[in-house]
Amino acid sequence: MTAATANSKNSTGPLKGLRVLDLTQALAGPYCAMLLADLGADVIKVEPPRGDLTRFAGPFTPEDKEYAYGGYFASVNRNKRSIVLDLKLDDDRKTLMALVPTADVLIENSRAGVMERLGLGYETLAAANPKLVYAAIRGFGDPRTGKSPYAEWPAYDVVAQAMGGLVSVTGLADGTVIKCGPSVADIFSGTLAAVGLLAAILHARQSGRGQFVDVAMYDAMLSLCEGAAYWYSYHGVVNRPTGNGHPMISPFDIYPTKDGNCAIAVATDSHWKLLCELIGKPELAKDDRFGSNIMRLGNRAAVNEIMLEWTKSHTTAEVMNALAGKISVGPVNDMAAIYLDPHVAAREMLVDVEQPDGSRPVKLAGEPIKMTATPTGIYRRPPKLGEHTDEILAEAGVVREKAAK
């Protein structure tokens, strides 16, 4: 793979040789499978005849004349191959069962009981392949690991963020709650599922036995809110939104500048002293109100007033020039700024990916897990619907009169 361009058909990641059956749709499951694919696994995306729910959701570039998939689908389904199977049909269920012995992992994110009703539950698949690691990502988990009273409820990202505690601590200082912009319940639960799968794969290779891996989106959000959990246990304190501040550090906030915003965080007393010198107010370092982080927390309003007076009188570039490399500081970047940031180019975090119709490439967020001996990344464009059906069946020795297209 050349710098920031996906142009190879061969993975070099550490999971090369691992085969994954990806029966997921939407975001949490596909993101989990995408992580494995970026790390080199051969991920076979099993799609119904209509395709993944997100395949045709857009957006599409003006140049795209084929509309094989939109940006939502592309972002989390790169590096995968696609096969079409209608699991409501006996023949296609038999085909999936024929693929199971060839796989190391199967991932699904249907509601609890759906796969069992299709005759494709974990126990059935494990009988066909005892080493199979089977992962489920659901809103409220699977009864095998703990039956939730909400097990049958459908769940979307916003619901998991709300119920798992994240929304209650995210928002404005006046108490207005706001969900996180990115779909963190989906993405974090998918990430945890990938971690769990890798651990289970290691165990399977040592023991010869696979197992069921279960991640609930609710649980993932509660885990993400670990700070609020221990605060309530230690002091009976129900954490509330605090804007962009930090409950235990001051200054720590997003501060407006003349032309934008900057994040500034000062965690130690020595850095506070340095900050005072850098903003031209060395006398503040000797002010008893600000002598320690505890004192600054007690005088947070005064600290923020000092910070605002300085940042609002300078441009973002001036703030960065004064503090960068000495104090923890960073501009609030929108995506236009990120596209121009030399860090992003150096780290190959925006990758050009070809379109199936040959129109202009699109950029996708790259793989953040970097490795030296077994490079990871985007090496294959997302698949067209059923694009690899025939080759996948041939590899598994499955013969059908008419392969799904």
Side-chain angles (χ1 to χ4, degrees), residues 185-398:
D186 283 315
I187 290 172
F188 190 54
S189 59
T191 302
L192 292 181
V195 174
L197 280 169
L198 293 174
I201 291 165
L202 181 61
H203 176 265
R205 291 184 172 179
Q206 294 171 339
S207 68
R209 300 190 309 277
Q211 61 184 299
F212 189 91
V213 177
D214 178 25
V215 174
M217 293 168 66
Y218 186 132
D219 299 354
M221 289 298 91
L222 178 54
S223 174
L224 195 62
C225 294
E226 48 78 34
Y230 73 69
W231 269 98
Y232 189 71
S233 178
Y234 274 64
H235 293 298
V237 173
V238 176
N239 286 8
R240 302 299 184 191
T242 57
N244 295 309
H246 192 285
M248 300 177 70
I249 303 173
S250 178
F252 186 111
D253 216 313
I254 305 294
Y255 298 100
T257 66
K258 273 187 176 181
D259 59 355
N261 295 277
C262 271
I264 300 175
V266 178
T268 69
D269 296 339
S270 60
H271 281 98
W272 169 251
K273 180 180 179 181
L274 177 58
L275 175 68
C276 294
E277 294 171 359
L278 294 172
I279 67 174
K281 294 183 178 292
E283 69 279 5
L284 292 176
K286 300 176 182 178
D287 191 316
D288 290 342
R289 295 175 298 166
F290 314 126
S292 67
N293 183 62
I294 294 295
M295 296 301 294
R296 291 192 296 276
L297 281 172
N299 293 281
R300 186 195 300 269
V303 171
N304 282 339
E305 185 178 342
I306 293 165
M307 296 301 299
L308 286 168
E309 180 182 1
W310 183 75
T311 60
K312 291 174 76 172
S313 65
H314 294 79
T315 65
T316 299
E318 290 169 344
V319 171
M320 293 301 299
N321 287 336
L323 304 184
K326 308 175 187 73
I327 300 296
S328 182
V329 62
V332 175
N333 287 334
D334 59 18
M335 201 52 62
I338 288 171
Y339 266 59
L340 297 175
D341 193 327
H343 167 92
V344 175
R347 301 288 296 173
E348 297 188 10
M349 282 307 300
L350 286 171
V351 181
D352 283 330
V353 179
E354 64 180 327
Q355 291 277 62
D357 67 348
S359 59
R360 73 167 173 87
V362 295
K363 290 187 185 295
L364 300 179
E367 173 53 55
I369 303 172
K370 311 293 187 184
M371 298 188 180
T372 55
T374 53
T376 64
I378 305 176
Y379 56 88
R380 183 199 295 266
R381 66 160 172 78
K384 294 191 277 188
L385 180 61
E387 181 175 357
H388 306 97
T389 296
D390 291 343
E391 71 179 46
I392 291 168
L393 295 182
E395 290 168 3
V398 176

Side-chain angles (χ1 to χ4, degrees), residues 156-172 175-181 184-185 221-222 224-225 228 239-242:
Y156 286 92
D157 176 84
V158 66
V159 172
Q161 285 196 38
M163 294 185 71
L166 187 59
V167 173
S168 74
V169 296
T170 305
L172 306 180
T176 302
V177 296
I178 302 173
K179 83 169 187 69
C180 288
V184 292
M221 289 298 91
L222 178 54
L224 195 62
C225 294
N239 286 8
R240 302 299 184 191
T242 57

